[in-house]
Amino acid sequence: MSRRAAEAESAALAELTSAQAAYERRLRQLEQQIARLRNPGTGERLDSLGELVLFQHVLVVTSGPGTRSIELAGLDARFDTGQTNHSIYLTDVAGRVHRAKCPHHQPAMPDQQRFDEEAVRDFTVAVQNAVANENSLHTRIPRQLTQAEQELEEARADTRAQEVARKEVTLVRQRNRQDPHRKVADSELEDALQNWKALTGRIPPK
């Protein structure tokens, strides 16, 4: 094979490899998008106060020995205050209520944290806004999921770029087989093999 023929075949193979990589990359992107829509996880950390940590999609509560996550979608958050504690009442979609207590009186223990009313109110508002965003997101998810699944199905079926690249590889190889330089080389190789056989009486090793 001449140098030019070898370079042409190498370029065609590189184009095929690139088309295959682009195809796989597109499928991975859509599969990851669908996975995120089905299970967004906790999301970005937004704020925290006492036993509460607010993320983009959940509110994590750490009380006593346990930690649990409350989904923001459908969550109701309400501020209230009393003589010793500011309270944030959290009611999830199942109707379960959690009360987060934020003491504002003189601490009973030296290391007990005290909470300013404005800080507790601001955190409650942050939760309410995050809930509003999550509720809005959940109304869009079914449409986005359907669209992404349809795009994935179409992407899997769209192998045109790979088919074009494969055809080009086949054409280049056919042209190379017809290359006069290659024919000369093949003829010279055949003569050399015949001479080897005539001299040694054995078939040349491959």
Side-chain angles (χ1 to χ4, degrees):
M1 184 187 301
S2 69
R3 178 178 178 182
R4 180 176 298 179
E7 289 176 347
E9 183 168 330
S10 178
L13 288 170
E15 187 64 27
L16 175 58
T17 299
S18 177
Q20 291 171 332
Y23 176 81
E24 294 296 334
R25 184 166 57 251
R26 177 59 175 159
L27 294 188
R28 283 196 304 271
Q29 290 172 344
L30 289 168
E31 288 167 351
Q32 290 168 359
Q33 180 183 350
I34 290 171
R36 286 194 299 270
L37 288 170
R38 289 176 175 168
N39 183 17
T42 60
E44 178 186 355
R45 177 175 170 145
L46 303 177
D47 203 351
S48 65
L49 182 80
E51 66 180 31
L52 305 177
V53 182
L54 176 62
F55 291 88
Q56 189 176 358
H57 304 296
V58 299
L59 185 66
V60 176
V61 181
T62 303
S63 56
T67 299
R68 66 189 183 99
S69 298
I70 304 175
E71 292 187 2
L72 291 185
L75 180 67
D76 178 71
R78 180 175 59 86
F79 172 85
D80 194 13
T81 190
Q83 292 183 348
T84 58
N85 296 298
H86 304 306
S87 299
I88 301 177
Y89 290 92
L90 304 165
T91 306
D92 64 22
V93 290
R96 293 184 295 267
V97 180
H98 175 80
R99 178 190 178 193
K101 298 179 182 180
C102 303
H104 60 77
H105 65 293
Q106 187 64 33
M109 303 292 293
D111 60 347
Q112 185 179 9
Q113 184 178 1
R114 295 179 67 184
F115 295 87
D116 178 75
E117 179 178 345
E118 288 302 309
V120 180
R121 286 185 181 275
D122 288 344
F123 183 81
T124 305
V125 170
V127 173
Q128 292 168 340
N129 288 334
V131 168
N133 291 337
E134 187 71 0
N135 289 341
S136 177
L137 175 65
H138 271 240
T139 62
R140 300 193 302 270
I141 283 179
R143 177 180 56 81
Q144 292 175 341
L145 186 57
T146 298
Q147 180 179 346
E149 289 173 339
Q150 181 178 350
E151 289 180 11
L152 177 59
E153 183 178 349
E154 292 171 354
R156 282 175 174 159
D158 185 7
T159 58
R160 288 172 296 179
Q162 295 179 79
E163 291 167 2
V164 169
R166 286 194 186 95
K167 287 179 181 178
E168 181 62 20
V169 170
T170 301
L171 289 174
V172 168
R173 285 175 171 170
Q174 288 175 347
R175 286 197 298 267
N176 287 347
R177 283 196 291 270
Q178 298 168 1
D179 186 346
H181 296 289
R182 175 161 185 160
K183 289 183 177 179
V184 170
D186 289 344
S187 177
E188 291 175 348
L189 176 61
E190 181 62 28
D191 289 342
L193 294 176
Q194 292 300 325
N195 290 336
W196 170 280
K197 185 177 180 181
L199 290 171
T200 65
R202 291 183 289 110
I203 298 175
K206 295 184 180 180

